[in-house]
Amino acid sequence: MLAVYFDQPGGPENLYVKEVPKPHPGRGEVLIKVSTSALNRIDLFQRSGKYPFPKGANDILGLEAAGLVAGFGSGCKEYVTVPEGHLMPIPNGMTFVQAVAIPEVWLTAFQLLHFVGKVQSGQTVLIHAGASGVGTATIQLTRLAKAISIVTAGTQEKLQLAAKLGAAAGFNYKEEDFRERVLEFTNGSGVDVILDCIGGSYWEKNLNCLSTDGQWIVYGLLGGGEVHGDLLARLRSKTGSLLTSLLRSREKEAKKLVKAFTEKVLPYFSQDRSPHVQPIIDSVYPLHRIVEAHRTMEENKNLGKIIIEMPPSS
C-alpha cells in the first residue's frame, strides 16, 4: 500500500509517499480500505519532531480515515487497521471526503464540551481559533447544547464563517483586544467555559475573560507552554478550574467517547435533521500533493479541514 513518510524531522519538503506492507488486523481490529484521510495540527508537530508518536503506534502520519471495511477485493492503495470500537458508520448521503472531516475534530470538540467541560444550556463558551476544524465543530456543538459561543480568529473571513455556523460574537485577535470585547459582550461577567488551543501566550487574557467558577480547558499549546506571572493566585481568586485534555492520551475512554458521539451527534449530520450540523472542508488534495497540503495548514490559510484523497484503485 502507499503511505506518507519522512526520514528526518523538518519542513513539509521532507515528506514523501512510498510503498509499505499492508497491515494485518489483530484481535478486535478491522481493516479499512482508505478512500480519504485528513490533516490535523498534530501531523505538523510530528513531522517537525515536536511530538513523538505514541507508544505502540506505527510511524505513518495520519490520525483519521474514511473508507470501506476491506475483507474483499484487491488493488487497494492504502489500508489502516482500527479497533472495532473506534469506528463510526458514515451518515446516509455523505461522501468519503465529507465523512473524513468528522472523526478527529468533532470527537475532540465533543469531548471538550461534554466529557471535560460538561457545558450546560445557557452557558457562554469562548472558542479560540474559531475557524479551525475543532473550532467550527465546537461552534455547532455549542449550538446543539443550547449554549452561547464566542470565537476569536485572525481574519474577517474566518469570523464570518464562525457567525454563519452559529457564533453569537467573534473578535479578530490581530486587530482588537478580545479580552475587552468578551467582557463587554458578557456585561462584565466573563465566560463560563474557555476552550484554549493557544496556551501560554493567552494565559492572562483568558483569566480576565473567565467568570467566577469558570472552566479554562487547555487542549493545545500553539502559543507555547510557559507562563510567567501569578496564574495560580489569580485563578484561585475566581475559584476557577484549569483543566487539560489530550485526545490521544485517553485511549481507554475512546470507545465510550465514540459510542456517545455516534448516538447523540452523528444523526444530526443527516440532511433531513433539524438542527443540522456539517463538517467544514477547506480543500481536497490528492496524496501526491501532501507537501502542499502541509504548507497550507502551516501557513494558517485553511478555513476548516484539509482533506487528503487516495489515488483510485488500479
Side-chain angles (χ1 to χ4, degrees), residues 22-56:
K22 185 174 71 176
H24 297 283
R27 183 176 178 84
E29 292 184 328
V30 175
L31 183 66
I32 301 296
K33 173 190 172 184
V34 176
S35 178
T36 53
S37 184
L39 284 192
N40 291 280
R41 188 68 57 172
I42 195 174
D43 296 323
L44 276 60
F45 293 154
Q46 288 179 330
R47 186 207 71 221
S48 59
K50 297 177 181 177
Y51 189 95
F53 289 94
K55 184 178 180 180

mmCIF file of all heavy atoms in Angstrom, residues 22-56:
data_model
loop_
_atom_site.group_PDB
_atom_site.id
_atom_site.type_symbol
_atom_site.label_atom_id
_atom_site.label_comp_id
_atom_site.label_asym_id
_atom_site.label_seq_id
_atom_site.Cartn_x
_atom_site.Cartn_y
_atom_site.Cartn_z
ATOM 1 N N LYS A 22 1.026 -3.911 3.563
ATOM 2 C CA LYS A 22 -0.339 -3.708 4.049
ATOM 3 C C LYS A 22 -0.456 -4.271 5.463
ATOM 4 O O LYS A 22 0.032 -5.367 5.738
ATOM 5 C CB LYS A 22 -1.326 -4.403 3.116
ATOM 6 C CG LYS A 22 -2.792 -4.165 3.463
ATOM 7 C CD LYS A 22 -3.715 -4.773 2.415
ATOM 8 C CE LYS A 22 -3.705 -6.292 2.476
ATOM 9 N NZ LYS A 22 -4.675 -6.877 1.529
ATOM 10 N N PRO A 23 -1.092 -3.541 6.389
ATOM 11 C CA PRO A 23 -1.209 -4.046 7.757
ATOM 12 C C PRO A 23 -2.201 -5.206 7.854
ATOM 13 O O PRO A 23 -3.086 -5.361 7.004
ATOM 14 C CB PRO A 23 -1.728 -2.829 8.529
ATOM 15 C CG PRO A 23 -2.462 -2.027 7.510
ATOM 16 C CD PRO A 23 -1.717 -2.218 6.223
ATOM 17 N N HIS A 24 -2.052 -5.985 8.891
ATOM 18 C CA HIS A 24 -2.964 -7.102 9.138
ATOM 19 C C HIS A 24 -3.693 -6.846 10.456
ATOM 20 O O HIS A 24 -3.057 -6.572 11.470
ATOM 21 C CB HIS A 24 -2.200 -8.425 9.199
ATOM 22 C CG HIS A 24 -1.525 -8.777 7.911
ATOM 23 N ND1 HIS A 24 -2.214 -9.276 6.828
ATOM 24 C CD2 HIS A 24 -0.224 -8.682 7.526
ATOM 25 C CE1 HIS A 24 -1.360 -9.484 5.832
ATOM 26 N NE2 HIS A 24 -0.156 -9.125 6.238
ATOM 27 N N PRO A 25 -5.010 -6.925 10.448
ATOM 28 C CA PRO A 25 -5.751 -6.633 11.672
ATOM 29 C C PRO A 25 -5.501 -7.669 12.758
ATOM 30 O O PRO A 25 -5.457 -8.870 12.490
ATOM 31 C CB PRO A 25 -7.216 -6.651 11.213
ATOM 32 C CG PRO A 25 -7.217 -7.495 9.981
ATOM 33 C CD PRO A 25 -5.890 -7.274 9.320
ATOM 34 N N GLY A 26 -5.323 -7.186 13.977
ATOM 35 C CA GLY A 26 -5.174 -8.078 15.108
ATOM 36 C C GLY A 26 -6.530 -8.371 15.731
ATOM 37 O O GLY A 26 -7.578 -8.009 15.179
ATOM 38 N N ARG A 27 -6.513 -8.976 16.872
ATOM 39 C CA ARG A 27 -7.748 -9.322 17.565
ATOM 40 C C ARG A 27 -8.551 -8.056 17.880
ATOM 41 O O ARG A 27 -8.027 -7.102 18.433
ATOM 42 C CB ARG A 27 -7.432 -10.078 18.847
ATOM 43 C CG ARG A 27 -8.674 -10.552 19.605
ATOM 44 C CD ARG A 27 -8.293 -11.379 20.813
ATOM 45 N NE ARG A 27 -9.464 -11.786 21.565
ATOM 46 C CZ ARG A 27 -10.209 -12.848 21.278
ATOM 47 N NH1 ARG A 27 -9.887 -13.610 20.247
ATOM 48 N NH2 ARG A 27 -11.262 -13.172 22.009
ATOM 49 N N GLY A 28 -9.818 -8.051 17.501
ATOM 50 C CA GLY A 28 -10.684 -6.913 17.779
ATOM 51 C C GLY A 28 -10.500 -5.740 16.835
ATOM 52 O O GLY A 28 -11.087 -4.677 17.039
ATOM 53 N N GLU A 29 -9.676 -5.921 15.775
ATOM 54 C CA GLU A 29 -9.433 -4.837 14.825
ATOM 55 C C GLU A 29 -10.114 -5.100 13.492
ATOM 56 O O GLU A 29 -10.415 -6.237 13.144
ATOM 57 C CB GLU A 29 -7.927 -4.646 14.590
ATOM 58 C CG GLU A 29 -7.174 -4.124 15.799
ATOM 59 C CD GLU A 29 -5.718 -3.871 15.480
ATOM 60 O OE1 GLU A 29 -5.143 -4.596 14.626
ATOM 61 O OE2 GLU A 29 -5.135 -2.938 16.074
ATOM 62 N N VAL A 30 -10.346 -4.007 12.776
ATOM 63 C CA VAL A 30 -10.969 -4.068 11.455
ATOM 64 C C VAL A 30 -10.004 -3.449 10.452
ATOM 65 O O VAL A 30 -9.362 -2.436 10.739
ATOM 66 C CB VAL A 30 -12.306 -3.304 11.447
ATOM 67 C CG1 VAL A 30 -12.899 -3.253 10.048
ATOM 68 C CG2 VAL A 30 -13.295 -3.951 12.415
ATOM 69 N N LEU A 31 -9.884 -4.045 9.272
ATOM 70 C CA LEU A 31 -9.046 -3.492 8.208
ATOM 71 C C LEU A 31 -9.904 -2.600 7.316
ATOM 72 O O LEU A 31 -10.940 -3.030 6.810
ATOM 73 C CB LEU A 31 -8.424 -4.616 7.383
ATOM 74 C CG LEU A 31 -7.456 -4.187 6.273
ATOM 75 C CD1 LEU A 31 -6.199 -3.550 6.872
ATOM 76 C CD2 LEU A 31 -7.080 -5.383 5.407
ATOM 77 N N ILE A 32 -9.469 -1.347 7.149
ATOM 78 C CA ILE A 32 -10.217 -0.383 6.352
ATOM 79 C C ILE A 32 -9.456 -0.062 5.075
ATOM 80 O O ILE A 32 -8.268 0.277 5.112
ATOM 81 C CB ILE A 32 -10.447 0.930 7.139
ATOM 82 C CG1 ILE A 32 -11.227 0.665 8.436
ATOM 83 C CG2 ILE A 32 -11.179 1.964 6.278
ATOM 84 C CD1 ILE A 32 -12.624 0.157 8.216
ATOM 85 N N LYS A 33 -10.103 -0.162 3.944
ATOM 86 C CA LYS A 33 -9.552 0.332 2.686
ATOM 87 C C LYS A 33 -9.788 1.844 2.663
ATOM 88 O O LYS A 33 -10.925 2.315 2.592
ATOM 89 C CB LYS A 33 -10.239 -0.330 1.492
ATOM 90 C CG LYS A 33 -9.832 0.264 0.147
ATOM 91 C CD LYS A 33 -10.728 -0.257 -0.963
ATOM 92 C CE LYS A 33 -10.447 0.487 -2.263
ATOM 93 N NZ LYS A 33 -11.364 0.076 -3.344
ATOM 94 N N VAL A 34 -8.720 2.611 2.724
ATOM 95 C CA VAL A 34 -8.827 4.062 2.905
ATOM 96 C C VAL A 34 -9.147 4.763 1.586
ATOM 97 O O VAL A 34 -8.472 4.549 0.575
ATOM 98 C CB VAL A 34 -7.514 4.629 3.491
ATOM 99 C CG1 VAL A 34 -7.582 6.145 3.595
ATOM 100 C CG2 VAL A 34 -7.248 4.013 4.863
ATOM 101 N N SER A 35 -10.183 5.600 1.629
ATOM 102 C CA SER A 35 -10.513 6.441 0.481
ATOM 103 C C SER A 35 -10.009 7.866 0.695
ATOM 104 O O SER A 35 -9.473 8.484 -0.214
ATOM 105 C CB SER A 35 -12.025 6.454 0.256
ATOM 106 O OG SER A 35 -12.358 7.305 -0.818
ATOM 107 N N THR A 36 -10.178 8.366 1.935
ATOM 108 C CA THR A 36 -9.737 9.718 2.259
ATOM 109 C C THR A 36 -9.141 9.751 3.664
ATOM 110 O O THR A 36 -9.503 8.963 4.536
ATOM 111 C CB THR A 36 -10.899 10.729 2.211
ATOM 112 O OG1 THR A 36 -11.963 10.248 3.042
ATOM 113 C CG2 THR A 36 -11.405 10.926 0.802
ATOM 114 N N SER A 37 -8.227 10.669 3.864
ATOM 115 C CA SER A 37 -7.711 10.988 5.184
ATOM 116 C C SER A 37 -7.782 12.508 5.335
ATOM 117 O O SER A 37 -8.271 13.198 4.437
ATOM 118 C CB SER A 37 -6.278 10.471 5.354
ATOM 119 O OG SER A 37 -5.819 10.701 6.672
ATOM 120 N N ALA A 38 -7.286 13.040 6.449
ATOM 121 C CA ALA A 38 -7.343 14.491 6.654
ATOM 122 C C ALA A 38 -6.177 14.933 7.511
ATOM 123 O O ALA A 38 -5.650 14.158 8.319
ATOM 124 C CB ALA A 38 -8.667 14.890 7.311
ATOM 125 N N LEU A 39 -5.782 16.187 7.337
ATOM 126 C CA LEU A 39 -4.677 16.739 8.115
ATOM 127 C C LEU A 39 -5.155 17.246 9.462
ATOM 128 O O LEU A 39 -6.272 17.768 9.585
ATOM 129 C CB LEU A 39 -4.013 17.908 7.374
ATOM 130 C CG LEU A 39 -3.094 17.599 6.203
ATOM 131 C CD1 LEU A 39 -2.323 18.851 5.818
ATOM 132 C CD2 LEU A 39 -2.131 16.473 6.517
ATOM 133 N N ASN A 40 -4.287 17.135 10.457
ATOM 134 C CA ASN A 40 -4.513 17.717 11.769
ATOM 135 C C ASN A 40 -3.217 18.394 12.212
ATOM 136 O O ASN A 40 -2.124 18.039 11.759
ATOM 137 C CB ASN A 40 -4.934 16.650 12.780
ATOM 138 C CG ASN A 40 -6.316 16.098 12.483
ATOM 139 O OD1 ASN A 40 -7.319 16.706 12.809
ATOM 140 N ND2 ASN A 40 -6.366 14.941 11.834
ATOM 141 N N ARG A 41 -3.336 19.363 13.099
ATOM 142 C CA ARG A 41 -2.161 20.114 13.528
ATOM 143 C C ARG A 41 -1.076 19.200 14.096
ATOM 144 O O ARG A 41 0.109 19.445 13.926
ATOM 145 C CB ARG A 41 -2.598 21.145 14.584
ATOM 146 C CG ARG A 41 -1.533 22.135 14.985
ATOM 147 C CD ARG A 41 -1.156 23.105 13.905
ATOM 148 N NE ARG A 41 -2.283 23.890 13.397
ATOM 149 C CZ ARG A 41 -2.143 24.903 12.552
ATOM 150 N NH1 ARG A 41 -0.949 25.244 12.108
ATOM 151 N NH2 ARG A 41 -3.190 25.562 12.120
ATOM 152 N N ILE A 42 -1.479 18.123 14.728
ATOM 153 C CA ILE A 42 -0.505 17.200 15.310
ATOM 154 C C ILE A 42 0.371 16.552 14.237
ATOM 155 O O ILE A 42 1.527 16.190 14.494
ATOM 156 C CB ILE A 42 -1.221 16.128 16.167
ATOM 157 C CG1 ILE A 42 -0.218 15.410 17.061
ATOM 158 C CG2 ILE A 42 -1.966 15.145 15.296
ATOM 159 C CD1 ILE A 42 -0.880 14.458 18.034
ATOM 160 N N ASP A 43 -0.147 16.420 12.999
ATOM 161 C CA ASP A 43 0.667 15.880 11.913
ATOM 162 C C ASP A 43 1.874 16.776 11.644
ATOM 163 O O ASP A 43 2.981 16.298 11.377
ATOM 164 C CB ASP A 43 -0.165 15.736 10.637
ATOM 165 C CG ASP A 43 -1.298 14.739 10.778
ATOM 166 O OD1 ASP A 43 -1.100 13.716 11.447
ATOM 167 O OD2 ASP A 43 -2.384 14.974 10.218
ATOM 168 N N LEU A 44 1.650 18.096 11.723
ATOM 169 C CA LEU A 44 2.743 19.042 11.522
ATOM 170 C C LEU A 44 3.769 18.934 12.646
ATOM 171 O O LEU A 44 4.980 18.994 12.415
ATOM 172 C CB LEU A 44 2.201 20.472 11.449
ATOM 173 C CG LEU A 44 1.682 20.957 10.082
ATOM 174 C CD1 LEU A 44 0.535 20.090 9.575
ATOM 175 C CD2 LEU A 44 1.230 22.414 10.167
ATOM 176 N N PHE A 45 3.270 18.782 13.885
ATOM 177 C CA PHE A 45 4.183 18.652 15.028
ATOM 178 C C PHE A 45 5.018 17.377 14.921
ATOM 179 O O PHE A 45 6.211 17.374 15.217
ATOM 180 C CB PHE A 45 3.397 18.648 16.335
ATOM 181 C CG PHE A 45 2.720 19.958 16.651
ATOM 182 C CD1 PHE A 45 1.586 19.988 17.451
ATOM 183 C CD2 PHE A 45 3.196 21.148 16.155
ATOM 184 C CE1 PHE A 45 0.960 21.183 17.749
ATOM 185 C CE2 PHE A 45 2.579 22.355 16.439
ATOM 186 C CZ PHE A 45 1.448 22.368 17.236
ATOM 187 N N GLN A 46 4.380 16.278 14.517
ATOM 188 C CA GLN A 46 5.120 15.020 14.394
ATOM 189 C C GLN A 46 6.141 15.095 13.267
ATOM 190 O O GLN A 46 7.272 14.622 13.406
ATOM 191 C CB GLN A 46 4.138 13.865 14.171
ATOM 192 C CG GLN A 46 3.338 13.528 15.411
ATOM 193 C CD GLN A 46 2.346 12.402 15.197
ATOM 194 O OE1 GLN A 46 1.838 12.230 14.094
ATOM 195 N NE2 GLN A 46 2.059 11.649 16.239
ATOM 196 N N ARG A 47 5.761 15.699 12.161
ATOM 197 C CA ARG A 47 6.692 15.840 11.039
ATOM 198 C C ARG A 47 7.918 16.674 11.416
ATOM 199 O O ARG A 47 9.034 16.418 10.968
ATOM 200 C CB ARG A 47 5.965 16.514 9.873
ATOM 201 C CG ARG A 47 6.765 16.599 8.584
ATOM 202 C CD ARG A 47 6.301 17.785 7.753
ATOM 203 N NE ARG A 47 6.696 19.034 8.355
ATOM 204 C CZ ARG A 47 5.927 20.117 8.430
ATOM 205 N NH1 ARG A 47 4.691 20.098 7.959
ATOM 206 N NH2 ARG A 47 6.374 21.220 9.003
ATOM 207 N N SER A 48 7.720 17.697 12.266
ATOM 208 C CA SER A 48 8.818 18.584 12.645
ATOM 209 C C SER A 48 9.584 18.088 13.869
ATOM 210 O O SER A 48 10.515 18.745 14.324
ATOM 211 C CB SER A 48 8.287 19.998 12.904
ATOM 212 O OG SER A 48 7.314 19.996 13.935
ATOM 213 N N GLY A 49 9.166 16.923 14.423
ATOM 214 C CA GLY A 49 9.877 16.338 15.553
ATOM 215 C C GLY A 49 9.489 16.899 16.903
ATOM 216 O O GLY A 49 10.164 16.644 17.902
ATOM 217 N N LYS A 50 8.372 17.643 16.974
ATOM 218 C CA LYS A 50 7.955 18.277 18.222
ATOM 219 C C LYS A 50 6.963 17.435 19.023
ATOM 220 O O LYS A 50 6.614 17.797 20.143
ATOM 221 C CB LYS A 50 7.334 19.647 17.933
ATOM 222 C CG LYS A 50 8.304 20.636 17.299
ATOM 223 C CD LYS A 50 7.609 21.949 16.971
ATOM 224 C CE LYS A 50 8.570 22.932 16.324
ATOM 225 N NZ LYS A 50 7.895 24.193 15.941
ATOM 226 N N TYR A 51 6.504 16.336 18.443
ATOM 227 C CA TYR A 51 5.516 15.493 19.125
ATOM 228 C C TYR A 51 5.793 14.044 18.752
ATOM 229 O O TYR A 51 5.579 13.644 17.599
ATOM 230 C CB TYR A 51 4.099 15.895 18.706
ATOM 231 C CG TYR A 51 3.001 15.236 19.507
ATOM 232 C CD1 TYR A 51 2.426 15.870 20.603
ATOM 233 C CD2 TYR A 51 2.522 13.966 19.166
ATOM 234 C CE1 TYR A 51 1.415 15.269 21.330
ATOM 235 C CE2 TYR A 51 1.510 13.355 19.897
ATOM 236 C CZ TYR A 51 0.964 14.014 20.971
ATOM 237 O OH TYR A 51 -0.043 13.412 21.687
ATOM 238 N N PRO A 52 6.296 13.237 19.665
ATOM 239 C CA PRO A 52 6.641 11.850 19.333
ATOM 240 C C PRO A 52 5.405 11.007 19.070
ATOM 241 O O PRO A 52 4.320 11.269 19.599
ATOM 242 C CB PRO A 52 7.373 11.365 20.592
ATOM 243 C CG PRO A 52 6.818 12.213 21.702
ATOM 244 C CD PRO A 52 6.551 13.558 21.091
ATOM 245 N N PHE A 53 5.564 10.006 18.228
ATOM 246 C CA PHE A 53 4.472 9.063 18.011
ATOM 247 C C PHE A 53 4.198 8.315 19.315
ATOM 248 O O PHE A 53 5.129 7.926 20.024
ATOM 249 C CB PHE A 53 4.844 8.061 16.923
ATOM 250 C CG PHE A 53 4.876 8.645 15.542
ATOM 251 C CD1 PHE A 53 6.061 9.127 15.004
ATOM 252 C CD2 PHE A 53 3.728 8.721 14.785
ATOM 253 C CE1 PHE A 53 6.095 9.664 13.727
ATOM 254 C CE2 PHE A 53 3.741 9.255 13.511
ATOM 255 C CZ PHE A 53 4.936 9.739 12.980
ATOM 256 N N PRO A 54 2.930 8.128 19.679
ATOM 257 C CA PRO A 54 2.606 7.416 20.918
ATOM 258 C C PRO A 54 3.164 5.998 20.926
ATOM 259 O O PRO A 54 3.331 5.378 19.868
ATOM 260 C CB PRO A 54 1.068 7.406 20.932
ATOM 261 C CG PRO A 54 0.662 8.512 20.032
ATOM 262 C CD PRO A 54 1.722 8.597 18.985
ATOM 263 N N LYS A 55 3.446 5.503 22.096
ATOM 264 C CA LYS A 55 3.967 4.157 22.246
ATOM 265 C C LYS A 55 3.005 3.141 21.631
ATOM 266 O O LYS A 55 1.808 3.156 21.893
ATOM 267 C CB LYS A 55 4.177 3.839 23.733
ATOM 268 C CG LYS A 55 4.822 2.487 23.995
ATOM 269 C CD LYS A 55 5.043 2.261 25.482
ATOM 270 C CE LYS A 55 5.692 0.914 25.747
ATOM 271 N NZ LYS A 55 5.903 0.679 27.207
ATOM 272 N N GLY A 56 3.528 2.288 20.798
ATOM 273 C CA GLY A 56 2.721 1.257 20.168
ATOM 274 C C GLY A 56 2.135 1.655 18.825
ATOM 275 O O GLY A 56 1.636 0.803 18.089
#
